[in-house]
Amino acid sequence: MSPAVSSPPIRIGTGPVTLTEVVAVARGDAQVILDDDARAAMAASRTVVETLADDPAPHYGVSTGFGALATTYIGPERRAQLQLSLVRSHAAGSGPETEREVVRALMLLRLSTLATGRTGARPVVAETYAAMLNAGITPIVREYGSLGCSGDLAPLAHVALAACGEGDVRDAEGVVRPAGEALAAAGIAPLALREKEGLALINGTDGMLGQLLLALADLDVLVTTADVTAAMSVEAALGTDAAFAADLQSLRPHPGIAASARNMRRVMDGSAIMQSHRGPECTRVQDAYSLRCAPQVHGAVRDTMAHARAVAERELASAIDNPVVTPDGRVESNGSFHGAPIGYVLDFLAIAVADLASIAERRIDRLLDRTRNQGLPPFLAHETGVDSGLMIAQYTAAGIVSELKRLAVPASVDSIPSSAMQEDHVSMGWAAARKLRTALDGLTRVIGIELLTASRALALRAPLQPAVATAAATGTVAIAAHPGPDRYLARDIEAAVQAVRSGQVRAAVTAAIGPLD
């Protein structure tokens, strides 16, 4: 696919990029422009590096080897080779290709750090990365290879190698080509690295941070959509919305809980189904936890996201490299490349994702069980016995939830020493990011199955009409929502999943009742 031109250009200066800008470049192919203040900052710090390069005393990353070889002095005539050798040797990833959006996010974040002027790289290095992004050239990065310390070495090295005209890339049309050939076709000169520049290109946490930012963007859609599908399930199960009252929620003042409860009240507002059992004859004093406690679980997910977002914003404001060129002209080794701050919140989000899917699966099961679904047919089947209805859709959701529980086991508590014990404690942040991406896909599917199940259950409550908002949500899966004989269910599930993933469900509801939290 050719790069899109609909998004406005993203200006890269010495300040941080935003989550929205990262997503615009990673997913929307927004163009990037390197500002003059970034070029000036890079030129100033480059002067410091070149001064050290002329010093006969060894300086790490400038005139020495790396990692366990940091005490080996490298003469001036071998330093260009040193930097290229570093990139070649560290481009050692293996396994399936990492997704295009992740690689583009990684590239933009490394470009942003270069632009701070704290790495000592020349402006041409940043300009080359900007040109590659704008041309839609995506280096092929493999899934395995990063320990999350010193940052995402192997993934970043594959990108750096492509910028030097080596390795493989996908061009703007998605075709695999040698990097040198793709650069030439785009009119981009390959980089000839100088002192410290190879190190500056690979010593960062950009891969795990990029995946955190993309995950937060996905969760913004998913958690709101989960509020919608939970409200649909409460409505379809003839549950009560009394427990979601604002004054009750204020007794436990978590902002995420208040937001989810507010969403659920608004989504069910005006429902004839809810009104049908509000009289004194209603025996529904309190519902099962999967219905009644939805705001508490969904809200906890929201508050976990808020913590993760705060960490991400600090990371976006960071200049991560080792050594780093300080504003007063020192070149100092440090440990900022360690991925622990990001790894922890990636794992925390995986726990939240698993629990959000778990409570949704319990609501699905409740709607299918004739002993608990308040008069609906078993498994919402058209003709009991002949038809199985949505029985196996719940199996699918249950299988996914079981997998999500395994994916919730933290990666960041693991560590394995490397580089001859120089790098003897690592973050595994990249691994935490990879499993979170898998978990988000599973969550999307479970929410899609709840959407399908609740839509069918609401249709079975006819002639009673659902709320305006829930009717809008059922309209996104209209073919599957109407009761009838068994049909090819996988296709309906995938349609519902896509309605969730694309934001169509949330958009339909907000078009009906206005923005949700």
Side-chain angles (χ1 to χ4, degrees), residues 470-505:
T470 54
T474 63
T476 64
V477 286
I479 294 175
H482 299 295
D486 282 351
R487 50 188 286 140
Y488 177 29
L489 194 53
R491 182 179 294 143
D492 290 334
I493 291 173
E494 290 307 309
V497 170
Q498 183 56 30
V500 171
R501 192 191 309 278
S502 66
Q504 182 185 358
V505 177

Side-chain angles (χ1 to χ4, degrees), residues 243-298:
F244 309 142
D247 61 340
L248 294 179
Q249 304 305 323
S250 68
L251 298 176
R252 193 183 189 191
H254 292 281
I257 294 176
S260 284
R262 186 163 51 247
N263 282 346
M264 291 183 68
R265 291 196 306 271
R266 291 186 60 209
V267 168
M268 288 185 281
D269 186 47
S271 167
I273 296 174
M274 298 294 293
Q275 191 61 36
S276 71
H277 58 94
R278 287 194 192 278
E281 72 282 358
C282 180
T283 60
R284 304 301 297 276
V285 177
Q286 60 179 19
D287 291 321
Y289 288 4
S290 61
L291 304 178
R292 188 180 2 142
C293 301
Q296 282 67 37
V297 174
H298 295 202

Side-chain angles (χ1 to χ4, degrees), residues 95-98 103 138-142 154-155 158-159 162 167-170 175-177:
E97 286 184 45
T98 302
V103 179
T138 307
I140 291 179
V141 172
R142 300 295 174 182
H158 280 277
V159 174
D168 294 321
V169 301
R170 287 190 181 272
V175 177
V176 177
R177 302 174 69 180

